């Protein structure tokens, strides 16, 4: 049997660990959330248990001297130990449930039922002086376990297993740091409990629990990785993890999104150019209506308020108050600023059923009717549509929903030059889908690589037939996603597909967009350089719509610059528009690049472009994008009769 000095040392160690944890928690003021308060409650239980162990160790030696006062004191300490320690595992379950965003309200019938074993064992511990169901002191003044203690251990194991189930259900939505902390706690505590269960005199259970919770405090309670310190609220990563946990555990809540539409203007007006300008303006108001830990900043101009367990009446009132406040100007330093706010109210999981849908709502422009700045209910059908489109994208290859269309391009003299390959989708449930709708969703869901490879594969198949060469097609343009270009092994995958069909690489012209190239033109430059060595051609698509530096764009060693249709159409509307088109064409020519103009729809546009001597034309005047079979008929007919030119 171990002597009492060992038990005393263990008790003092446990007490010091608990005291340090409590002081540290209070200094950092981490007591706002229910999660924090449960953590403090667990530390208090462990502190009481440590003190009772210390007290028992000091006075237990006097029991052999039949000291009645000492005996009474030790029994009192043991009573306090059992009365508090019985609550430890249930409280840990409540803590884990709260961290995992499971509703812990006793009003929740399921949760109330889960709490019944705790209430029963706590009643056993509290009434033990009368019943001795849990423990007793025998005639030799020795501590004896009874059936009630084993029942307490069984119930503790029940809550322990429940905690593991909760953690397992939300494992993917727990950060790596939190996972490590929880595993650490579980392992250390399990060892301590097993050791003391086997030998009641080796009182290391409380010490193991205190050490384990130190790991929890350092990782779970410390939320530095979840904070945007520039904004003072939770960041985008925290939002994804928390909402993912709510969805996984079927936790219902309202999401209130506030998007500042004129953010850039406000930032310039403030003159600081800092991401926290708008936050500085409205943070006091937001924290006056909800707690700070219910606010997230997933983007510099967007704020998300999470409203748990709130009635419809409360939510309606809150939306009205926020709307009214944003109709008034805000004071910021020496300015009075009017913020243009779009307010979106959505329910989880009724309207938002995945984190992908949530970030789709956050990241994409939302079309609203004139003067309408609060969206809710049926206004959010676009989110439901997004999920339907994502499902269609996912099943597209299995159901052969994708098809490559071709839109011809022409020389200025009317002779066929080539074609652009464009992806289309025919879903059995949603009908025809256009790239503007399903390509962004494919990028978010990770299927864009498969789609891009499908298009290239179909183009290579078409070239392999010899039909394009027969009718004088110089090359076929294939659009590239920047996500595809940036992935490891991209160049090798391109060469593998083309080598599979042994087609002439000069017949393939890859298109990238100006705005995308601006994001990381150095990386793209390396990709383009490597593929051009293999013989492929490259074009810049939609030139004139992005924000790239001109010198950066032209450093990409492109073969063709495709001028966006908006510049051509603008040239017909005003003298200034014509000046822009003329100067754009002149600059491209000076850089020794070929020029293709998109959006040609009228004879007058063709005459204008003839005057400016561009190289290639593309647009509805010649043909819309059509399926391959129709495209072959079109170029065959033109080859037979010739295209009429002025």
């Amino acid at each position: 049997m171990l002597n009492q000095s060992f038990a005393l040392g263990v008790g003092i160690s446990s007490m010091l660990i608990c005291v340090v944890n409590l002081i540290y928690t209070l200094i950092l003021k981490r007591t706002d959330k229910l999660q924090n308060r449960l953590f403090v409650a667990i530390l208090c239980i462990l502190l009481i248990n440590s003190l009772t162990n210390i007290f028992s160790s000091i006075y237990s030696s006097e029991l052999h001297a039949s000291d009645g006062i000492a005996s009474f004191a030790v029994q009192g300490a043991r009573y306090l130990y059992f009365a508090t320690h019985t609550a430890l595992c249930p409280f840990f379950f409540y803590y884990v449930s709260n961290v995992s965003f499971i509703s812990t309200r006793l009003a929740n019938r399921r949760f109330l039922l889960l709490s019944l074993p705790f209430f029963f064992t706590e009643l056993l511990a509290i009434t033990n002086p009368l019943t001795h169901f849990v423990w007793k002191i025998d005639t030799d003044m020795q501590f004896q376990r009874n059936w009630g203690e084993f029942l307490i251990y069984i119930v503790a194991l029940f809550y322990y297993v429940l905690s593991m189930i909760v953690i397992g259900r939300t494992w993917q939505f727990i950060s790596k740091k939190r996972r490590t902390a929880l595993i650490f706690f579980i392992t250390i505590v399990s060892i301590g409990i097993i050791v003391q269960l086997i030998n009641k005199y080796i009182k290391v259970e409380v010490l193991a629990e205190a050490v384990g919770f130190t790991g929890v405090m350092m990782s779970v309670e410390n939320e530095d990785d979840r904070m945007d310190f520039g904004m003072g609220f939770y960041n985008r990563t925290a939002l994804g993890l928390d909402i993912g946990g709510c969805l996984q555990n079927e936790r219902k809540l309202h999401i209130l999104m506030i998007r500042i539409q004129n953010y850039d203007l406000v930032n310039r007006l403030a003159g600081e150019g800092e991401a926290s300008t708008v936050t500085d303006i409205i943070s006091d108001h937001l924290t006056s209506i909800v707690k700070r830990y219910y606010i997230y900043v997933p983007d510099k101009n967007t704020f998300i308020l999470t409203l748990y367990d709130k009635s419809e009446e409360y939510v309606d009132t809150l939306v009205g108050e926020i709307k009214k406040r944003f109709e008034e100007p805000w004071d910021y330093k020496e300015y009075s600023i009017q913020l243009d706010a779009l307010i979106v109210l959505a329910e989880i999981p009724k309207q938002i059923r995945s984190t992908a849908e949530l970030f789709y709502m956050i990241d994409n422009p939302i079309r609203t009717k004139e003067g309408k700045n609060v969206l809710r209910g049926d206004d959010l059908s676009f989110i439901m549509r997004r999920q339907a489109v994502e499902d269609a994208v996912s099943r597209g290859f299995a159901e052969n929903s994708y098809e490559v269309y071709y839109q011809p391009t022409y020389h200025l003299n009317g002779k066929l030059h080539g074609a652009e390959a464009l992806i289309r989708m025919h879903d059995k449930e949603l009908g025809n889908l256009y790239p503007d709708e399903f390509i962004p969703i494919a990028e978010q869901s990770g299927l864009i690589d498969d789609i891009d490879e499908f298009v290239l594969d179909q183009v290579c198949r078409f070239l392999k037939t010899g039909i394009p060469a027969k009718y004088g097609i110089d090359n076929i343009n294939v659009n590239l996603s920047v996500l595809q270009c940036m992935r490891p092994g991209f160049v090798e995958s391109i060469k593998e597909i083309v080598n599979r069909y042994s087609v002439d690489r000069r017949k393939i012209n890859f298109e990238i967009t100006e705005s995308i190239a601006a994001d990381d033109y150095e990386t793209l430059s390396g990709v383009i350089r490597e593929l051009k060595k293999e013989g492929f051609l490259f074009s810049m698509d939609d030139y004139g719509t992005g924000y790239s530096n001109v010198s950066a764009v032209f450093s990409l060693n492109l073969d063709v610059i495709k001028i966006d249709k908006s510049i051509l159409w603008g040239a017909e509307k005003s003298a200034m528009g014509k000046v822009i088109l003329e100067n754009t064409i002149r600059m491209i020519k000076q850089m020794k690049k070929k020029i293709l103009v998109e959006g040609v729809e009228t004879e007058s546009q063709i005459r204008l472009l003839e005057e400016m001597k561009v190289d290639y034309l593309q647009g509805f005047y010649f043909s819309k994008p059509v399926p391959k079979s129709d495209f072959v008929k079109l170029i065959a007919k033109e080859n037979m009769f010739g295209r009429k030119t002025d």
Side-chain angles (χ1 to χ4, degrees):
M1 183 183 299
L2 296 175
N3 59 36
Q4 298 302 320
S5 61
F6 174 79
L8 178 61
V10 170
I12 292 173
S13 300
S14 304
M15 179 194 70
L16 291 176
I17 292 172
C18 292
V19 168
V20 170
N21 283 346
L22 274 172
I23 292 174
Y24 186 72
T25 299
L26 295 174
I27 288 175
L28 295 183
K29 299 180 180 179
R30 292 183 181 143
T31 56
D32 294 338
K33 300 195 294 184
L34 177 58
Q35 163 191 326
N36 305 142
R37 294 192 289 272
L38 286 168
F39 180 76
V40 170
I42 291 172
L43 286 180
C44 290
I45 289 173
L46 292 174
L47 179 58
I48 293 172
N49 296 160
S50 302
L51 292 172
T52 58
N53 284 344
I54 293 171
F55 197 84
S56 296
S57 300
I58 293 174
Y59 285 99
S60 59
S61 61
E62 300 181 27
L63 291 176
H64 299 289
S66 300
D67 188 325
I69 297 176
S71 175
F72 179 79
V74 170
Q75 291 191 55
R78 283 175 175 154
Y79 171 76
L80 187 59
Y81 174 87
F82 278 100
T84 55
H85 199 74
T86 300
L88 187 63
C89 277
F91 270 47
F92 178 64
F93 168 63
Y94 299 152
Y95 177 80
V96 169
S97 298
N98 198 266
V99 171
S100 302
F101 292 91
I102 294 178
S103 177
T104 54
R105 293 184 303 159
L106 290 180
N108 184 319
R109 183 180 300 177
R110 182 176 60 178
F111 206 80
L112 181 60
L113 290 174
L114 289 176
S115 300
L116 290 179
F118 163 52
F119 295 150
F120 178 71
T121 53
E122 189 64 35
L123 181 63
L124 283 180
I126 292 173
T127 60
N128 187 75
L130 300 176
T131 65
H132 301 297
F133 288 156
V134 180
W135 59 274
K136 65 180 180 179
I137 301 296
D138 62 19
T139 55
D140 296 327
M141 304 304 293
Q142 294 296 313
F143 173 81
Q144 298 292 333
R145 292 170 170 170
N146 209 337
W147 63 268
E149 182 176 357
F150 293 104
L151 181 60
I152 288 174
Y153 271 103
I154 292 172
V155 170
L157 178 63
F158 167 72
Y159 284 110
Y160 213 55
V161 171
L162 282 181
S163 300
M164 299 307 100
I165 293 173
V166 170
I167 293 172
R169 279 174 54 89
T170 53
W171 190 250
Q172 61 181 314
F173 301 110
I174 301 174
S175 66
K176 184 177 180 180
K177 188 177 75 171
R178 290 188 169 198
R179 293 177 191 173
T180 304
L182 290 171
I183 291 174
F184 172 75
F185 169 76
I186 292 164
T187 303
I188 295 297
V189 172
S190 298
I191 293 172
I193 292 174
I194 292 171
V195 168
Q196 189 161 329
L197 184 62
I198 294 173
N199 190 330
K200 63 183 178 182
Y201 298 107
I202 306 178
K203 299 180 179 180
V204 295
E205 181 178 346
V206 174
L207 177 61
E209 290 162 349
V211 171
F213 263 93
T214 300
V216 172
M217 183 198 71
M218 290 188 297
S219 297
V220 178
E221 289 297 298
N222 184 348
E223 298 188 309
D224 290 351
D225 60 327
R226 292 166 49 83
M227 296 297 298
D228 186 321
F229 289 103
M231 301 287 191
F233 300 115
Y234 284 142
N235 57 29
R236 184 184 183 94
T237 300
L239 177 63
L241 291 172
D242 293 350
I243 297 304
C246 290
L247 289 164
Q248 181 68 29
N249 291 299
E250 301 176 354
R251 179 77 184 272
K252 296 179 181 179
L253 70 150
H254 288 84
I255 289 286
L256 184 59
M257 182 179 83
I258 302 173
R259 178 185 293 172
I260 308 302
Q261 308 279 60
N262 60 338
Y263 171 84
D264 291 334
L265 177 62
V266 172
N267 225 28
R268 289 197 298 270
L269 180 62
E272 296 182 8
E274 297 180 357
S276 61
T277 302
V278 171
T279 306
D280 292 342
I281 297 173
I282 69 174
S283 61
D284 287 344
H285 178 68
L286 294 181
T287 53
S288 71
I289 56 180
V290 296
K291 299 290 187 182
R292 181 173 290 273
Y293 48 81
Y294 291 137
I295 304 174
Y296 301 78
V297 185
D299 198 5
K300 59 188 179 182
N301 68 332
T302 304
F303 300 83
I304 297 292
L305 279 57
T306 51
L307 308 175
Y308 296 92
D309 307 320
K310 301 298 183 182
S311 66
E312 292 292 337
E313 293 76 15
Y314 174 88
V315 173
D316 290 342
T317 301
L318 184 63
V319 170
E321 291 176 354
I322 294 175
K323 177 179 181 295
K324 183 177 180 181
R325 179 62 188 89
F326 276 97
E327 290 172 350
E328 302 171 359
W330 300 75
D331 293 328
Y332 181 69
K333 297 183 178 180
E334 68 272 24
Y335 302 106
S336 179
I337 298 175
Q338 186 67 53
L339 298 179
D340 178 15
L342 174 66
I343 302 170
V344 180
L345 179 66
E347 295 181 57
I348 290 179
K350 181 179 179 181
Q351 293 169 306
I352 295 179
R353 296 172 293 176
S354 68
T355 54
E357 289 185 0
L358 173 64
F359 287 116
Y360 179 80
M361 178 182 76
I362 292 170
D363 297 334
N364 288 277
I366 300 176
R367 297 172 184 171
T368 61
K369 296 179 180 179
E370 187 68 28
K372 187 169 187 178
N373 57 2
V374 177
L375 302 182
R376 60 190 305 172
D378 293 339
D379 298 326
L380 305 183
S381 58
F382 70 93
I383 299 178
M384 308 297 285
R385 170 73 176 184
R386 191 255 180 224
Q387 183 61 54
V389 173
E390 182 177 347
D391 293 341
V393 169
S394 299
R395 62 175 178 261
F397 287 107
E399 298 181 353
N400 297 317
S401 302
Y402 296 107
E403 183 178 8
V404 175
Y405 277 38
Y406 295 87
Q407 186 176 25
T409 60
Y410 294 88
H411 291 277
L412 195 59
N413 63 8
K415 181 182 177 183
L416 182 66
H417 162 252
E420 180 179 2
L422 299 163
I423 189 70
R424 294 292 185 267
M425 189 175 183
H426 314 290
D427 184 67
K428 64 179 183 179
E429 295 182 12
L430 302 180
N432 293 331
L433 299 174
Y434 291 92
D436 288 349
E437 184 174 22
F438 70 80
I439 288 297
I441 294 174
E443 290 178 340
Q444 291 178 353
S445 62
L447 291 172
I448 189 63
D449 290 350
D450 295 333
I451 291 175
D452 285 341
E453 290 180 359
F454 171 78
V455 174
L456 180 59
D457 181 89
Q458 293 298 301
V459 168
C460 290
R461 285 176 183 265
F462 186 34
L463 290 170
K464 183 69 174 177
T465 64
I467 295 174
K470 176 182 177 181
Y471 293 112
I473 287 181
D474 294 336
N475 50 65
I476 297 177
N477 294 6
V478 178
N479 290 281
L480 286 183
S481 160
V482 69
L483 297 177
Q484 187 183 23
C485 293
M486 298 299 179
R487 81 164 193 258
F490 165 69
V491 173
E492 288 70 22
S493 67
I494 292 293
K495 292 192 291 185
E496 191 276 328
I497 294 173
V498 176
N499 290 341
R500 192 186 306 157
Y501 296 95
S502 301
V503 299
D504 185 352
R505 296 177 179 184
R506 292 172 298 177
K507 296 293 184 181
I508 298 174
N509 186 336
F510 291 116
E511 291 188 13
I512 55 177
T513 64
E514 178 192 352
S515 58
I516 289 177
D519 291 337
D520 197 344
Y521 73 90
E522 290 185 3
T523 303
L524 282 173
S525 181
V527 171
I528 292 171
R529 187 166 51 250
E530 192 169 350
L531 286 175
K532 282 181 69 68
K533 287 180 183 178
E534 298 290 329
F536 297 102
L537 302 177
F538 271 85
S539 296
M540 172 65 69
D541 195 14
D542 298 333
Y543 182 78
T545 61
Y547 304 97
S548 346
N549 178 279
V550 173
S551 62
V553 169
F554 285 96
S555 71
L556 293 175
N557 190 23
L558 303 165
D559 300 286
V560 180
I561 304 297
K562 298 181 69 173
I563 296 177
D564 188 72
K565 59 181 177 292
S566 62
I567 296 180
L568 172 62
W569 295 350
E572 284 194 309
K573 295 178 180 178
S574 67
M576 181 58 70
K578 186 174 181 181
V579 169
I580 293 173
L581 177 61
E582 289 174 341
N583 282 281
T584 300
I585 291 173
R586 184 182 302 112
M587 179 182 65
I588 297 173
K589 284 183 176 180
Q590 290 174 345
M591 295 187 177
K592 310 298 183 183
K593 309 293 183 183
K594 296 289 187 180
I595 301 171
L596 185 152
V597 180
E598 302 174 301
V600 177
E601 296 185 351
T602 65
E603 292 278 358
S604 62
Q605 290 172 344
I606 293 178
R607 286 193 292 270
L608 176 63
L609 295 173
E610 284 176 340
E611 293 174 9
M612 299 182 184
K613 294 182 171 56
V614 302
D615 299 286
Y616 313 116
L617 308 175
Q618 180 181 3
F620 287 0
Y621 176 83
F622 305 102
S623 172
K624 295 180 179 181
V626 293
K628 183 178 70 174
S629 58
D630 293 342
F631 176 70
V632 171
K633 293 177 183 178
L634 173 68
I635 60 178
K637 181 178 179 181
E638 290 178 357
N639 186 265
M640 181 179 298
F641 297 105
R643 172 167 290 283
K644 180 181 178 180
T645 60
D646 292 338

